């Protein structure tokens, strides 16, 4: 009954509840301890439980007299509720396997509690849902604070944003147009039996009808295509570096935008900077696969005196550290890991990095500020404040891309929202420095 898979999933969810890592780090470790046959179920349980955790937690609170002291027991309750509510696993099998997982994790004293809570949920499901239906955290499956921030900022769009965040994202490719055209790569996909369509906004993007392992993609190892969200693909298209220009890609890891800049303009003097050495390894791997190279710098973008050589850059891409609230559908653990107090701290850090890097930009140069956040505090709030306080800064974010409107113009920059069949939530502001 694959109790070991539930046990592995419970350990991942318990770590998330405890703030001890992210899905991107915890899940691969759990997969290494799980049979290949059970990995899809493990992945489904971890991602699905994280995605619906705010809603499941409210249900658990109604069914438990008090929260369990052990996070693994809390995680098993959430995993059991997730299986009963969102999967096709027969109820009796879901309950039995979850109870057995408690034994496997050496919590035999909790088997009665878990069994009782799940069976109580079976009996009272409809009544519970009626009681909780007016609770916005329950209806949106988002933490109360985030639900309120989104609703305050985007009242007319909030329901669409929540719906997109709770759906599985599409798999989108960026075609390396230095090697192959989009039309030719679509033909290669068709020959490989992979259904796909061109992206709506990115002229180099292709969305697959269903996710595939990258090994199945034609020419992936030769760098013909890379996995990258459509909205993320717009960064290189907006920055438009010219031949021979000196370019800084700040906060570059894992390197998708770095690679795209070089695919678009191979003749660049490009420096890719990131604060984490381990993440720079990913940049190097991605560059190697497409046959490109860049100077890699491990340093803090907010402290350029420690690493800058004094030569100004023609263009700077600042993919600022942010709440990642525009990519929740790809990283649902954000619902468990992020706190409301993080937002003001991130906005202060974003403003500091922007001020620091502006000094490195050549007069007449261009800086692209980007985040994968949908919260105005981290986006237009930061950029509009910076432009107002910086006499030589101008917001020149284009309102059209490829001859078509894109995103939603803000007081400064343009906001993109997560779309069920389209791109993630992103923010871009293109700033020019006076001569």
């Amino acid at each position: 009954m694959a109790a070991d898979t539930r046990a592995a999933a419970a350990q991942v969810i318990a770590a998330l509840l405890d703030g001890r890592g992210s899905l991107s780090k915890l899940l691969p470790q759990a997969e290494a301890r799980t049979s290949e046959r059970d990995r899809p179920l493990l992945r489904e349980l971890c991602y699905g439980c994280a995605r619906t955790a705010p809603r499941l937690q409210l249900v658990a609170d109604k069914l438990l007299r008090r929260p369990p002291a052990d996070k693994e027991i809390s995680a098993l309750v959430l995993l059991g509720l997730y299986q009963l509510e969102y999967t096709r696993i027969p109820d009796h099998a879901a309950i039995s396997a979850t109870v057995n997982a408690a034994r496997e994790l050496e919590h035999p004293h909790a088997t009665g509690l878990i069994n009782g809570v799940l069976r109580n949920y079976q009996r009272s499901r409809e009544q519970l849902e009626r009681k909780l239906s007016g609770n916005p955290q329950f209806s949106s499956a988002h933490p109360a604070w985030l639900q309120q921030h989104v609703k305050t900022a985007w009242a007319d769009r909030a329901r669409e944003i929540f719906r997109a965040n709770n759906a599985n994202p599409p798999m989108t490719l960026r075609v390396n147009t230095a090697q192959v055209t989009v039309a030719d790569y679509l033909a290669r996909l068709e020959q490989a039996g992979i259904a796909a369509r061109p992206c709506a906004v990115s002229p180099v993007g292709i969305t697959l009808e269903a996710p595939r392992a990258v090994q199945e993609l034609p020419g992936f190892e030769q760098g013909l295509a890379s996995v990258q969200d459509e909205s993320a693909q717009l960064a290189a298209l907006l920055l438009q570096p010219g031949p021979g220009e000196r370019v800084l890609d700040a906060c570059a890891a894992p390197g998708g935008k770095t690679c795209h800049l070089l695919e678009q303009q191979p003749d660049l003097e490009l420096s890719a900077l990131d604060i984490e050495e381990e993440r720079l390894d990913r940049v190097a791997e991605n560059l190697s696969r497409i046959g490109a190279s860049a100077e890699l710098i491990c340093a803090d973008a907010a402290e350029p005196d420690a690493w800058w050589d004094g030569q100004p850059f023609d263009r700077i891409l600042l993919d600022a550290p942010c709440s990642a609230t525009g990519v929740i559908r790809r990283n649902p653990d954000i619902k468990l890991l992020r706190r409301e107090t993080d937002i003001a701290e991130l906005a202060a850090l974003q403003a500091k990095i922007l001020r620091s890097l502006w000094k490195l930009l050549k007069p007449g140069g261009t800086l692209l500020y980007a985040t994968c956040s949908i919260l105005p505090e981290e986006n237009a709030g930061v950029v509009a404040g910076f432009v107002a306080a910086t006499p030589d800064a101008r917001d020149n974010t284009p309102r059209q891309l490829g001859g078509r409107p894109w995103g939603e113009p803000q007081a400064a920059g343009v906001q993109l929202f997560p779309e069920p069949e389209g791109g993630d939530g992103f923010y871009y502001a293109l700033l020019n420095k006076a001569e």
Side-chain angles (χ1 to χ4, degrees), residues 86-202:
Y86 292 101
T87 73
R88 295 180 179 178
I89 299 169
D91 285 5
H92 69 278
I95 294 172
S96 172
T98 306
V99 169
N100 288 337
R103 292 192 185 92
E104 185 155 329
L105 291 171
E106 299 182 355
H107 300 301
H109 58 285
T111 55
L113 173 81
I114 293 168
N115 185 61
V117 165
L118 298 183
R119 293 201 182 281
N120 192 4
Y121 177 68
Q122 275 185 301
R123 291 191 296 270
S124 58
R125 180 183 308 190
E126 291 183 8
Q127 185 184 356
L128 274 171
E129 289 187 354
R130 277 198 301 276
K131 278 185 181 176
L132 292 169
S133 60
N135 186 316
Q137 178 173 324
F138 182 78
S139 56
S140 70
H142 282 61
W145 71 267
L146 180 56
Q147 186 272 344
Q148 193 56 55
H149 272 255
V150 173
K151 198 171 176 183
T152 300
W154 315 109
D156 295 340
R157 288 181 172 272
R159 292 183 67 180
E160 293 174 24
I161 291 170
F162 298 140
R163 193 176 303 121
N165 285 350
N166 292 334
N168 288 318
M171 183 173 177
T172 306
L173 308 180
R174 181 191 74 244
V175 177
N176 184 350
T177 53
Q179 297 193 47
V180 63
T181 67
V182 172
D184 284 344
Y185 197 75
L186 276 167
R188 293 189 187 212
L189 287 172
E190 187 176 7
Q191 288 170 5
I194 300 175
R197 64 181 187 281
C199 286
V201 180
S202 171

Side-chain angles (χ1 to χ4, degrees), residues 250-309:
C251 312
K257 299 180 183 70
T258 311
C259 291
H260 193 190
L261 286 167
L262 289 164
E263 289 171 0
Q264 183 178 263
Q265 182 52 259
D267 183 20
L268 290 181
E269 186 185 339
L270 194 149
S271 299
L273 177 142
D274 202 273
I275 198 167
E276 293 185 35
E277 187 80 45
E278 186 179 340
R279 284 166 57 79
L280 272 177
D281 292 342
R282 291 284 313 282
V283 180
E285 290 170 10
N286 284 320
L287 285 167
S288 174
R289 187 177 59 80
I290 69 163
S293 61
E295 180 190 23
L296 304 183
I297 304 172
C298 184
D300 186 348
E303 303 290 343
D305 288 347
W307 53 268
W308 184 41
D309 64 4

Side-chain angles (χ1 to χ4, degrees), residues 161-424:
I161 291 170
F162 298 140
R163 193 176 303 121
N165 285 350
N166 292 334
N168 288 318
M171 183 173 177
T172 306
L173 308 180
R174 181 191 74 244
V175 177
N176 184 350
T177 53
Q179 297 193 47
V180 63
T181 67
V182 172
D184 284 344
Y185 197 75
L186 276 167
R188 293 189 187 212
L189 287 172
E190 187 176 7
Q191 288 170 5
I194 300 175
R197 64 181 187 281
C199 286
V201 180
S202 171
V204 299
I206 288 175
T207 298
L208 304 187
E209 293 298 325
R212 294 295 187 111
V214 293
Q215 294 82 0
E216 299 178 39
L217 301 175
F220 179 79
E221 291 303 328
Q222 291 72 47
L224 297 191
S226 301
V227 179
Q228 187 181 38
D229 171 72
E230 178 177 5
S231 297
Q233 294 177 21
L234 304 185
L237 303 172
L238 284 163
L239 195 60
Q240 291 189 328
E245 287 190 336
R246 182 172 161 82
V247 176
L248 173 67
D249 183 0
C251 312
K257 299 180 183 70
T258 311
C259 291
H260 193 190
L261 286 167
L262 289 164
E263 289 171 0
Q264 183 178 263
Q265 182 52 259
D267 183 20
L268 290 181
E269 186 185 339
L270 194 149
S271 299
L273 177 142
D274 202 273
I275 198 167
E276 293 185 35
E277 187 80 45
E278 186 179 340
R279 284 166 57 79
L280 272 177
D281 292 342
R282 291 284 313 282
V283 180
E285 290 170 10
N286 284 320
L287 285 167
S288 174
R289 187 177 59 80
I290 69 163
S293 61
E295 180 190 23
L296 304 183
I297 304 172
C298 184
D300 186 348
E303 303 290 343
D305 288 347
W307 53 268
W308 184 41
D309 64 4
Q311 298 299 311
F313 293 96
D314 296 289
R315 294 175 198 264
I316 296 174
L317 168 56
L318 168 53
D319 192 357
C322 69
S323 63
T325 44
V327 293
I328 284 177
R329 58 185 184 168
R330 298 188 192 278
N331 306 281
D333 50 339
I334 289 168
K335 292 180 178 179
L336 292 169
L337 300 175
R338 193 62 73 202
R339 299 288 179 266
E340 184 173 19
T341 51
D342 294 343
I343 306 307
E345 292 176 10
L346 285 164
L349 175 62
Q350 291 149 3
K352 181 181 179 183
I353 297 175
L354 180 53
R355 289 193 302 270
S356 298
L357 295 186
W358 190 253
K359 299 170 188 171
L360 281 53
L361 188 64
K362 185 182 290 184
T366 300
L367 184 149
L368 181 66
Y369 177 91
T371 75
C372 55
S373 166
I374 58 168
L375 300 181
E377 300 97 309
E378 302 179 88
N379 297 334
V382 170
V383 175
F386 173 77
V387 171
T390 310
D392 60 352
R394 298 286 183 274
D395 173 25
N396 281 329
T397 311
R399 296 305 188 240
Q400 292 201 331
L401 207 55
R404 289 183 293 184
W406 65 291
E408 191 162 307
Q410 304 298 297
V414 167
Q415 182 70 56
L416 293 156
F417 299 93
E419 302 284 348
E421 299 300 324
D424 289 337

Side-chain angles (χ1 to χ4, degrees), residues 3-38:
D4 57 336
T5 308
R6 271 75 170 184
Q11 288 176 317
V12 171
I13 297 299
L16 293 177
L17 293 174
D18 242 355
R20 291 184 282 113
S22 62
L23 268 180
S24 63
K25 290 188 176 178
L26 295 165
L27 186 55
Q29 296 168 9
E31 285 178 326
R33 303 191 300 270
T34 305
S35 70
E36 190 170 340
R37 184 194 63 180
D38 290 334

